[in-house]
Amino acid sequence: MSSNYLKDFPLLKQPTANGKRLVYLDNGATTQKPLSVIKALEGYYGTSNANPHRGAYGLSVKATELYENAREKVRHFLGAAKTEEIIFTKNATESLNLIAYSYGLQFIEAGDEIVLSIAEHHSNLVPWQQVAKARGAVLKYMYVNADGVLPEEEIEAKITAKTKLVAVTHVSNVLGIVNPIRRIAAKAHSVGAVIVVDGAQSVPHLAVNVRELDVDFFVFSGHKMLAPMGIGVLYGREELLEAMPPFLCGGDMIEYVEEQDTTFAPLPAKFEAGTQNVGGAVGLTAAIEYLEQTGLDVIEREERELVRYAVERLQQLPYITLYGCGDLTNKTGVISFNVKDVHPHDVSTILDADGIAIRAGHHCAHPLMHYLGVNATCRASLYFYNTREDVDALLDSLSRVRGVLGYGA
Ligand SMILES: Cc1ncc(COP(=O)(O)O)c(CNc2co[nH]c2=O)c1O
């Protein structure tokens, strides 16, 4: 793993509060930002900021152009057919709620089944619980195997003629396993169901083409792929979005408002109520440009090499339990683990003293934690700008954790 990316990331070069070299391994939560993204934000607010779409003056026209250019950039990045199929939101969570409350409440009926995987983030699980309760539908789960892989027999058995919607993560934020989306989509479509894919942990790490995957909805958050916080994306097939009622109502999303009723604007505006995050969209444009210049194939390859190195070293520590690391064939840089006798929060605190930033807790995945038989885990989530030296620093610090707490080796 080359560290020549570090020159692009100011935050990664600054020491921690206690003067240690920062080893940032919480990329599953959010990624750091390259200078090109930071400068894009500065440039927008310094030269082009105005409220888009409605102003009849140059600055507003410029802001509108930047915003719509971002939409075209995302369309190309995801391989979508039309810009009308790209909706900007705040984040993946808002995108998933939009699908649940607009598509779900409109088209899911009593007795229909909604199929999830047990590895879903709460953002792709709790909204579907609300829809199931509101409509009298049934929630069913596909369960992963001991290696965190979703077996073919679960896909085949759980998606049936009663299934109306399948909502599944492309990559789990706990297990890091890439799910067989094309297979799941084919099975969903064979029974007349739609498929919603949560791409929050896949889009930053591997090339995604929504038409090749043949998905109906796909979501992601910009902040997990080098972009600013506050900008997310919902991709939806045009014909489905056209049939859906608005999610949020107000300015920009209307065609005409009378005292008792309103006609709505065409796609994508129908789903973009109020003043939009133009700065975030400009930052997302710069983030996609950085990823495309780096190469998602390069990112995926380098990350797989680094995760293999990290797992091989972790497997040599007898007091470490790994989750989702038995089959590295389709694994991104997410590594969940526990240290014998030590709570993940204590592990994270001790590692922090050595400059190492990992996540500890339930990762907004309570049902998966329960299924794994744990309350919480530690999680190191690698990205292309991490290095073998970062992994070595993690292992060195981990080797001291039990000793620090008096458990011996
Ligand atoms: C798979 C997955 N889906 C949805 C979300 C929600 O994304 P948001 O709307 O941008 O918050 C996350 C965030 N996951 C994490 C956020 O912090 N640590 C994490 O693992 C995620 O990992």
Side-chain angles (χ1 to χ4, degrees):
M1 174 69 75
S2 62
S3 57
N4 63 3
Y5 299 111
L6 286 182
K7 66 182 176 4
D8 297 333
F9 292 82
L11 189 148
L12 294 176
K13 292 181 282 192
Q14 75 178 13
T16 61
N18 62 350
K20 300 284 186 181
R21 178 177 80 88
L22 173 62
V23 180
Y24 183 76
L25 302 176
D26 195 21
N27 295 289
T30 198
T31 59
Q32 298 310 332
K33 316 306 172 193
L35 204 53
S36 57
V37 168
I38 298 167
K39 288 196 172 299
L41 271 179
E42 181 188 16
Y44 170 69
Y45 283 110
T47 68
S48 310
N49 178 53
N51 208 313
H53 294 130
R54 297 186 303 279
Y57 57 89
L59 209 50
S60 179
V61 170
K62 173 71 174 171
T64 303
E65 284 172 359
L66 290 169
Y67 187 67
E68 295 308 324
N69 287 347
R71 197 185 310 276
E72 168 52 24
K73 179 69 79 171
V74 172
R75 183 206 63 77
H76 179 264
F77 184 60
L78 288 182
K82 299 182 172 182
T83 50
E84 288 80 0
E85 298 178 314
I86 303 299
I87 309 296
F88 285 122
T89 62
K90 186 164 66 256
N91 49 35
T93 300
E94 182 181 335
S95 298
L96 290 163
N97 276 270
L98 188 159
I99 304 164
Y101 283 96
S102 177
Y103 183 89
L105 290 183
Q106 182 79 13
F107 296 105
I108 290 176
E109 298 173 347
D112 288 345
E113 292 186 354
I114 299 169
V115 175
L116 312 178
S117 90
I118 194 62
E120 298 311 308
H121 184 281
H122 292 161
S123 294
N124 197 30
L125 191 155
V126 179
W128 301 113
Q129 286 179 337
Q130 308 316 306
V131 171
K133 284 178 184 174
R135 307 295 293 153
V138 176
L139 273 192
K140 286 171 58 177
Y141 289 85
M142 298 183 286
Y143 293 93
V144 298
N145 66 20
D147 290 332
V149 175
L150 202 50
E152 169 61 23
E153 51 270 24
E154 278 292 290
I155 299 166
E156 191 58 32
K158 301 295 177 64
I159 301 175
T160 70
K162 289 184 177 179
T163 307
K164 198 65 169 291
L165 183 141
V166 178
V168 64
T169 191
H170 198 171
V171 174
S172 159
N173 67 320
V174 173
L175 302 168
I177 305 290
V178 183
N179 281 327
I181 296 302
R182 289 176 60 153
R183 167 67 188 116
I184 298 169
K187 179 64 180 174
H189 294 154
S190 73
V191 300
V194 298
I195 180 170
V196 179
V197 176
D198 175 357
Q201 296 290 348
S202 62
V203 164
H205 303 278
L206 47 98
V208 169
N209 184 303
V210 292
R211 280 185 285 179
E212 287 176 8
L213 292 174
D214 196 21
V215 297
D216 300 300
F217 297 102
F218 189 96
V219 311
F220 71 88
S221 288
H223 71 91
K224 295 188 191 289
M225 45 156 289
L226 311 182
M229 291 175 176
I231 189 78
V233 168
L234 158 62
Y235 159 79
R237 286 187 201 275
E238 184 180 30
E239 59 271 24
L240 297 176
L241 293 173
E242 289 286 12
M244 290 157 56
F247 176 47
L248 299 175
C249 294
D252 251 13
M253 53 78 68
I254 55 94
E255 196 160 66
Y256 195 76
V257 181
E258 298 174 331
E259 286 190 8
Q260 303 303 324
D261 202 357
T262 293
T263 53
F264 299 117
L267 293 175
K270 178 173 77 168
F271 290 110
E272 296 183 357
T275 300
Q276 296 300 300
N277 183 356
V278 181
V282 169
L284 181 58
T285 298
I288 290 172
E289 286 171 351
Y290 189 97
L291 289 175
E292 289 181 335
Q293 285 159 16
T294 303
L296 278 157
D297 55 337
V298 171
I299 289 169
E300 183 176 2
R301 184 179 67 249
E302 292 193 347
E303 213 174 287
R304 290 197 179 195
E305 288 168 5
L306 191 61
V307 76
R308 186 171 296 278
Y309 175 72
V311 169
E312 283 168 0
R313 288 211 59 191
L314 286 163
Q315 286 172 332
Q316 292 164 24
L317 300 180
Y319 46 78
I320 294 284
T321 302
L322 289 164
Y323 306 94
C325 294
D327 177 356
L328 302 185
T329 315
N330 286 308
K331 188 167 173 70
T332 65
V334 176
I335 304 171
S336 289
F337 62 93
N338 272 318
V339 178
K340 187 172 180 293
D341 303 324
V342 186
H343 191 283
H345 287 158
D346 293 333
V347 175
S348 177
T349 302
I350 292 167
L351 265 55
D352 179 44
D354 288 338
I356 297 160
I358 67 165
R359 179 61 56 119
H362 56 69
H363 313 293
C364 297
H366 277 146
L368 179 58
M369 294 290 113
H370 179 72
Y371 180 69
L372 295 174
V374 296
N375 292 320
T377 75
C378 304
R379 185 191 71 185
S381 43
L382 309 171
Y383 209 13
F384 65 91
Y385 46 56
N386 290 121
T387 62
R388 285 195 170 208
E389 291 73 23
D390 292 343
V391 172
D392 294 342
L394 170 66
L395 270 290
D396 292 348
S397 190
L398 275 177
S399 68
R400 293 193 292 273
V401 164
R402 285 169 49 81
V404 165
L405 297 172
Y407 287 111

